[in-house]
């Protein structure tokens, strides 16, 4: 057996991909909640002073709501085993990491947690895609 076959049949890869799908679903749901809170009330989140990427909390709410919906739907697609969802999941995880980096001054602890989740999702989905492409080549 080659290293690619061992990696493709590894429970870590398939389990990591499954866990990434669950994390995307949950992270998307929390993003929707944060978006609704940002849209509904401007006093839920702290106001930021001189921040280079300062947007109105209402605008951030809409960004997180839309991104959360798309991320949750992609997480469902990953759980059903769609390859397109894995590729879209990597792209969306990058966008979630970037959005939460910009959202950092508003809710620092949750933004850091969401960034860590996004980095794990990127790793897990890329590992699964690499294992699938290695399996097809064998």
């Amino acid at each position: 057996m080659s290293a690619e076959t061992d990696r493709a049949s590894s429970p870590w890869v398939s389990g990591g991909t499954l866990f990434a799908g669950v994390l995307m679903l949950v992270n998307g749901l929390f993003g929707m909640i944060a978006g609704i809170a940002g849209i509904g009330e401007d006093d839920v989140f702290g106001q930021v002073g001189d921040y280079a990427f300062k947007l109105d909390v209402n605008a951030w709410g809409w960004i997180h709501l839309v991104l959360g919906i798309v991320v949750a739907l992609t997480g469902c697609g990953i759980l059903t085993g769609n390859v397109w969802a894995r590729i879209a999941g990597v792209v969306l995880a990058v966008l979630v990491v970037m959005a939460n980096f910009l959202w950092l001054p508003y809710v620092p602890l949750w933004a850091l947690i969401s960034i860590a989740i996004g980095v794990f999702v990127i790793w897990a989905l890329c590992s699964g895609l690499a294992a699938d492409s290695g399996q097809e080549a064998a």
Side-chain angles (χ1 to χ4, degrees), residues 13 23 30-31 59 84 97 129:
V13 173
L23 284 177
F30 282 140
W84 66 264
V97 167
L129 287 169

Side-chain angles (χ1 to χ4, degrees), residues 103-120:
W103 184 242
L104 201 56
Y106 296 96
V107 282
L109 182 61
W110 176 249
L112 288 174
I113 291 169
S114 189
I115 288 170
I117 289 171
V119 169
F120 173 78

Side-chain angles (χ1 to χ4, degrees), residues 6 16 35 44-45 53 63-64 68-69 73 79 108 114-115 123 126 131:
D6 289 340
V44 171
F45 298 108
F53 304 106
I63 290 169
H64 280 282
I69 291 169
L73 290 174
L79 292 175
S114 189
I115 288 170
W123 172 82
C126 287

Side-chain angles (χ1 to χ4, degrees), residues 17-35 64-65 67-79 96 100 110 113-114 117-118 121:
T17 302
L18 178 68
F19 190 53
V22 171
L23 284 177
M24 285 193 71
L25 182 62
V26 171
N27 206 12
L29 291 174
F30 282 140
M32 286 187 271
I33 292 169
H64 280 282
L65 178 63
L67 195 56
I69 291 169
V70 175
V71 167
L73 290 174
T74 304
C76 290
I78 290 169
L79 292 175
V96 166
N100 280 294
W110 176 249
I113 291 169
S114 189
I117 289 171
V121 165

Side-chain angles (χ1 to χ4, degrees), residues 25-106:
L25 182 62
V26 171
N27 206 12
L29 291 174
F30 282 140
M32 286 187 271
I33 292 169
I36 291 169
I39 293 167
E41 294 289 328
D42 282 343
D43 60 349
V44 171
F45 298 108
Q47 296 298 323
V48 177
D50 293 329
Y51 182 53
F53 304 106
K54 185 177 178 183
L55 284 176
D56 181 32
V57 176
N58 194 12
W60 277 116
W62 281 106
I63 290 169
H64 280 282
L65 178 63
V66 171
L67 195 56
I69 291 169
V70 175
V71 167
L73 290 174
T74 304
C76 290
I78 290 169
L79 292 175
T80 60
N82 294 326
V83 176
W84 66 264
R86 289 194 219 169
I87 295 167
V90 172
V91 172
L92 286 171
V94 169
L95 290 176
V96 166
V97 167
M98 289 172 40
N100 280 294
F101 178 75
L102 298 175
W103 184 242
L104 201 56
Y106 296 96

